[in-house]
């Protein structure tokens, strides 16, 4: 049973990775569509990624 | 022309700093390497790995003395180059003494009739013989006195605070003589304007941003400078001390809470525009959210910087452990690239911390007219 | 989580809080406020200068337009004045001409009249003289023939009535 929480943490990291990947991909598409809004898109992307990252870290440290 | 020269010299300076850092790291490990070669006959690689792990942990940890370099000399004695810091304990009265008394955890320090021992960066109260009672997880069960020591992190925070005060008050003074920034101000003023125009105003709004500017500017430059200095060979990475990031995050939390308007609380306790059962359900979630936000802020900074340092240290350790020209040079290149990445992470985490803080402030003072 | 709690040092947090709050307050007083104020002042100054320049430009344009208007007016006035002068000149000339004609006519008329008068006077004088002459002639002629003066005068008058001068 000891190892289960590590598996859980791993799952959270996978989820966070997928989430951040999706954010990055969408941001790329958005930039390609509207290159003039690059700055705003990047800022929004960083914030969203940071929020997900926070959850990932919280899960890691909760182990 | 002079501008170009200045730019060039700045580039040179940056390169020089980087180069020196490389040399110092290199020397540091040369010492370790020579030590390992002498002991390689009797010790296996496993012990080297373990020793490096210990070294890494020590590097990550806060400590009670300021050591620039510590290594084992040829006789196998540990040599520390640095200076001791004051230890301040609260144990039925204030006890103040120099951390040199601990001899880096090798001996027992006596103060006011009590005996203390340093174990893995923590101070424990012991008997005169200095024995620690370890439990099955190798954790001491001895009493821990309240430790208010000026540790390495705190010492460095003081240094950075003085540095910041010196730099920014000088810049402020330079404005008295000319309307345009001079010297370092020319480099830092765009950053100040960036925080004002691209972080504070869009997130908080033109009406309220002024009262948060001092906090945002301080937190931005504090975290950035301390992150960057943490990457230097001095190796004092303060933001991987959870107590430090805790204070930074709690400041944002308190500032948000105490400047919040009626609307903010209304959205937490009685969310407008949803049915009443949902309102009751949402209130504890929203309340929890206000605590999770600064918690995430704390963990994010701590974890990013710690992770970066651990990975960097591990790759540097691989340079020693691999101990052949291919592996060592490969890990050197990797460490170099990772150092550049860490420079980016240092700036990025600073940006995100400031950005999210201002976002939370913006939520606190937002005025909803449409509801 | 255990590691986090284990790493957490109350002493560090305590010092950090004091240091950081102190740093914020000190920097606020000695750095951020002066820096932000002077930056704002500078921006305000630049904005004002730009506005003033714009204003000056507008004023300049106005002035130019005014000048042009004035110039146009002046030109028109000059033109009008010249035209008037020309008209006056022509009027004076024609008037003078008329007057001269009238005066000349009058002079001619009066000359004619005086000539007529003179003629009449001359004629009547001549008549009288002729009459007196005729009388004296007749007297001298008739002195001898006619006894009474009255009969003679009667005869003369009769004769004279028959005589018409024209």
């Amino acid at each position: 049973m000891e190892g289960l929480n590590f598996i859980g943490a791993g799952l959270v990291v996978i989820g966070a990775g997928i989430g951040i990947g999706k954010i990055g991909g969408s941001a790329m598409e958005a930039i390609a569509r509207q290159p003039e809004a690059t700055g705003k898109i990047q800022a929004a992307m960083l914030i969203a990624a940071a929020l997900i990252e926070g959850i990932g870290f919280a899960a890691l440290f909760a182990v | 022309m002079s501008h170009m020269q200045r730019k060039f010299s700045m580039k040179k300076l940056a390169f020089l700093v980087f180069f020196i850092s490389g040399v110092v790291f290199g020397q540091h490990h040369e010492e370790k390497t020579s030590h390992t070669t002498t002991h390689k006959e009797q010790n296996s690689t496993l012990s080297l790995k373990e020793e490096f792990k210990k070294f890494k942990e020590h590097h990550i940890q806060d400590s009670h003395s300021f050591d620039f370099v510590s290594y084992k000399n040829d006789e196998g004695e540990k040599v520390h180059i640095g200076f001791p810091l004051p230890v301040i304990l609260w144990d039925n009265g204030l006890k103040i003494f120099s951390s040199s008394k601990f001899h880096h955890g090798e001996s027992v320090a006596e103060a006011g009739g009590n005996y203390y021992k340093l174990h893995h960066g923590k101070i424990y109260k012991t008997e005169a013989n200095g024995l620690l009672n370890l439990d099955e997880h190798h954790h001491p069960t001895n009493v821990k006195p309240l430790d208010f020591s000026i540790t390495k992190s705190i010492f460095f925070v003081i240094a950075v605070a003085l540095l910041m005060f010196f730099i920014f008050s000088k810049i402020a003074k330079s404005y008295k003589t000319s309307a345009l920034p001079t010297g370092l101000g020319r480099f830092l003023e765009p950053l100040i304007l960036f925080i004002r125009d691209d972080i504070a105003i869009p997130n908080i709004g033109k009406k309220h941003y002024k009262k948060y500017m001092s906090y945002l500017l301080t937190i931005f430059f504090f975290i950035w400078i301390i992150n960057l200095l943490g990457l230097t060979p001095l190796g004092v990475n303060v933001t991987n001390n959870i107590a430090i990031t805790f204070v930074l995050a709690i400041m944002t939390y308190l500032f948000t809470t105490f400047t919040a308007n009626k609307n903010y609380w209304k959205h937490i306790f009685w969310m407008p525009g949803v049915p009443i059962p949902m309102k009751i359900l949402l209130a504890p979630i929203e309340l929890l959210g206000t605590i999770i936000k600064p918690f995430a802020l704390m963990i994010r900074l701590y974890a990013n910087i710690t992770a970066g340092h651990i990975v960097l240290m591990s790759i540097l350790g691989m340079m020693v452990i691999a101990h052949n020209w291919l592996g060592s040079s490969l890990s050197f290149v990797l460490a170099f690239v990772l150092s550049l990445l860490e420079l980016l992470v240092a700036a990025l985490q600073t940006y995100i911390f400031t950005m999210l803080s201002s976002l939370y402030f913006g939520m606190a003072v937002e005025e909803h007219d449409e509801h | 989580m255990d590691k986090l709690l284990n790493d957490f040092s109350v002493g560090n947090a305590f010092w950090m809080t004091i240091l950081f709050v102190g740093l914020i307050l000190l920097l606020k007083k000695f750095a951020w406020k002066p820096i932000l104020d002077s930056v704002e002042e500078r921006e305000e100054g630049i904005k004002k200068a730009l506005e003033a320049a714009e204003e000056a430009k507008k004023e300049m344009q106005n002035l130019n337009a005014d000048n042009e208007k004035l110039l146009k007016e002046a030109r028109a006035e000059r033109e009008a004045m010249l035209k008037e002068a020309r008209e006056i000149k022509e009027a004076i000339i024609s008037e003078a001409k008329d007057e001269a004609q009238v005066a000349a006519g009058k002079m001619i008329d009066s000359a004619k009249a005086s000539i007529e008068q003179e003629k009449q006077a001359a004629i009547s004088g001549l008549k009288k003289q002729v009459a007196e002459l005729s009388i004296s002639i007749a007297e001298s002629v008739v002195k001898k023939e006619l006894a009474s003066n009255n009969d003679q005068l009667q005869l003369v008058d009769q004769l004279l009535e028959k005589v018409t001068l024209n």
Side-chain angles (χ1 to χ4, degrees):
Chain A
M1 289 311 266
E2 230 354 71
L4 272 183
N5 39 12
F6 289 103
I7 291 171
L11 286 175
V12 171
V13 170
I14 290 170
I18 292 170
I20 291 177
K22 275 196 108 124
I23 291 169
S26 309
M28 285 284 169
E29 276 171 19
I31 289 171
R33 213 175 296 128
Q34 277 177 296
E36 68 278 359
T38 304
K40 275 185 179 176
I41 293 167
Q42 269 171 353
M45 176 189 81
L46 284 178
I47 289 172
L51 289 172
I52 292 183
E53 190 191 49
I55 289 173
F57 278 129
L60 272 187
F61 283 101
V63 168
Chain B
M1 188 63 205
S2 69
H3 181 69
M4 278 294 287
Q5 257 173 357
R6 193 187 203 98
K7 216 169 142 188
F8 182 66
S9 66
M10 278 300 280
K11 251 189 203 165
K12 256 206 301 213
L13 193 74
F15 181 73
L16 203 68
V17 168
F18 205 85
F19 184 71
I20 289 171
S21 76
V23 168
V24 173
F25 264 117
Q27 271 181 351
H28 194 123
H29 290 291
E30 230 169 69
E31 279 147 6
K32 282 211 69 98
T33 322
S34 64
H35 151 72
T36 51
T37 43
T38 51
H39 288 260
K40 206 161 187 186
E41 292 87 37
Q42 55 257 59
N43 291 351
S44 64
T45 358
L46 192 77
S47 84
L48 177 63
K49 268 185 193 164
E50 265 172 5
E51 198 175 333
F52 187 78
K53 205 178 162 205
K54 243 162 101 185
F55 175 77
K56 194 171 75 187
E57 269 168 14
H58 181 76
H59 173 85
I60 298 292
Q61 237 173 15
D62 198 8
S63 88
H64 283 81
S65 60
F66 204 111
D67 299 330
F68 296 110
V69 178
S70 39
Y71 59 95
K72 266 186 196 160
N73 61 10
D74 290 343
E75 284 84 50
E77 287 171 15
K78 265 203 168 163
V79 180
H80 301 276
I81 299 168
F83 52 87
L85 293 166
V87 175
I88 302 165
L89 298 177
W90 182 263
D91 186 18
N92 296 321
L94 211 58
K95 307 254 177 346
I96 302 172
F97 54 94
S98 164
S99 73
S100 60
K101 274 193 178 181
F102 287 125
H103 293 104
H104 296 277
E106 280 154 24
S107 59
V108 182
E110 186 268 329
N114 290 328
Y115 296 91
Y116 302 102
K117 180 129 171 88
L118 199 60
H119 180 76
H120 286 292
K122 297 262 180 233
I123 294 171
Y124 296 93
K125 197 174 176 183
T126 60
E127 300 300 317
N129 56 15
L131 277 179
L132 288 166
N133 310 312
L134 300 176
D135 61 10
E136 67 267 28
H137 295 295
H138 296 282
H139 291 311
T141 52
N142 295 47
V143 179
K144 276 199 275 183
L146 268 179
D147 186 0
F148 286 103
S149 307
I150 307 294
T151 59
K152 202 160 127 178
S153 300
I154 295 299
F155 179 81
F156 212 65
V157 169
I158 294 172
V160 168
L162 287 177
L163 181 76
M164 273 178 77
F165 183 71
F166 175 72
I167 291 173
F168 289 109
S169 60
K170 208 174 153 212
I171 290 173
K173 254 183 217 143
S174 82
Y175 279 102
K176 275 182 191 150
T177 50
S178 77
L180 289 173
T182 50
L184 203 55
R186 225 184 280 179
F187 170 65
L188 291 174
E189 198 204 270
L191 281 173
I192 294 173
L193 290 183
F194 168 75
I195 292 164
R196 191 190 65 177
D197 297 338
D198 288 339
I199 294 181
I201 292 179
N203 287 317
I204 303 172
K206 253 196 151 55
K207 203 171 149 196
H208 298 286
Y209 82 95
K210 271 199 177 134
K211 78 181 148 192
Y212 299 106
M213 273 310 282
S214 297
Y215 178 73
L216 290 176
L217 285 167
T218 312
I219 214 158
F220 181 86
F221 284 108
F222 180 79
I223 297 176
W224 194 44
I225 290 173
I226 226 158
N227 276 352
L228 286 184
L229 289 176
L231 289 172
T232 61
L234 283 178
V236 192
N237 25 357
V238 179
T239 35
N240 72 3
N241 184 331
I242 191 78
I244 303 287
T245 57
F246 168 77
V247 172
L248 292 175
I250 211 84
M251 291 273 177
T252 298
Y253 175 71
L254 290 178
F255 213 11
T256 313
T257 308
F258 284 111
T259 56
N261 59 12
K262 231 171 40 200
N263 235 308
Y264 176 75
W265 295 117
K266 199 176 155 196
H267 273 78
I268 286 173
F269 290 116
W270 208 243
M271 179 71 82
V274 293
I276 286 177
M278 276 302 276
K279 281 182 189 196
I280 294 162
L281 200 70
L282 273 175
I285 295 173
E286 285 282 327
L287 200 62
L288 198 67
T290 61
I291 298 160
I292 286 174
K293 278 176 201 160
F295 181 76
L297 219 52
M298 165 181 90
I299 293 289
R300 184 177 303 114
L301 183 59
Y302 165 81
N304 269 292
I305 302 299
T306 311
H309 276 266
I310 289 174
V311 173
L312 197 56
M313 289 297 287
S314 306
I315 290 173
L316 284 172
M318 262 158 62
M319 204 149 58
V320 182
I321 292 163
H323 203 61
N324 60 47
W325 66 270
L326 183 67
S328 295
S329 52
L330 202 69
S331 52
F332 177 79
V333 171
L334 217 64
F336 180 81
V337 173
L338 207 71
S339 298
L340 293 182
L341 187 73
E342 281 305 302
L343 280 178
L344 176 74
V345 168
L348 194 67
Q349 288 309 315
T350 311
Y351 170 72
I352 285 175
F353 198 103
T354 318
M355 189 78 176
L356 288 177
S357 288
S358 68
L359 206 69
Y360 298 154
F361 296 152
M363 283 176 191
V365 294
E366 203 178 2
E367 279 151 15
H368 300 266
D369 302 320
E370 64 269 51
H371 293 309
Chain C
M1 199 47 120
D2 286 344
K3 183 177 154 33
L4 279 188
L5 289 176
N6 190 45
D7 279 352
F8 187 83
S9 154
V10 179
N12 277 357
F14 170 76
W15 287 117
M16 178 64 192
T17 311
I18 290 175
L19 285 169
F20 198 65
V21 170
L23 184 67
I24 292 173
L25 295 178
L26 274 177
L27 282 181
K28 184 180 180 175
K29 186 160 192 298
F30 290 105
W32 306 133
K33 223 170 141 43
I35 290 175
L36 287 174
D37 281 354
S38 49
V39 165
E40 223 154 84
E41 206 173 285
R42 196 180 65 204
E43 280 169 352
E44 202 71 13
I46 290 170
K47 212 171 131 196
K48 263 189 196 150
L50 279 177
E51 271 169 11
E54 193 69 19
E55 199 97 316
K57 206 172 144 193
K58 228 180 239 170
E59 221 158 84
M60 197 76 170
Q61 268 170 351
N62 277 352
L63 224 65
N64 265 353
D66 275 5
N67 270 353
E68 212 130 286
K69 216 170 105 191
L70 274 176
L71 214 67
K72 223 183 216 167
E73 269 172 20
R75 211 171 285 148
E77 211 167 312
R78 198 191 65 181
E79 210 92 314
M81 272 162 89
L82 278 176
K83 204 172 150 196
E84 208 176 331
R86 219 174 287 135
E87 274 169 7
I88 288 172
K89 187 187 84 181
E90 264 155 31
I92 287 172
I93 288 172
S94 68
E95 209 173 305
K97 249 186 204 160
D98 288 356
E99 248 166 52
Q101 243 164 0
V102 169
K106 259 186 194 162
M107 268 163 84
I108 288 167
D109 283 355
S110 71
K112 269 185 187 161
S114 68
I115 286 169
E116 191 73 10
Q117 222 174 353
E118 292 289 310
K119 206 171 96 187
Q120 290 293 331
I123 288 170
S124 66
L126 206 61
K127 255 185 192 169
K128 221 173 179 180
Q129 254 177 341
V130 169
E132 273 169 13
L133 199 63
S134 346
I135 288 166
S136 64
I137 293 167
E139 201 178 34
S140 53
V141 171
V142 176
K143 237 170 197 176
K144 293 154 190 177
E145 293 174 15
L146 289 170
S148 86
N149 231 3
N150 278 352
D151 292 339
Q152 286 170 22
L153 271 176
Q154 239 172 3
L155 184 72
V156 169
D157 275 341
Q158 277 170 358
L159 286 174
L160 271 177
E161 256 170 52
K162 280 176 196 165
V163 179
T164 47
L165 260 169
N166 286 330

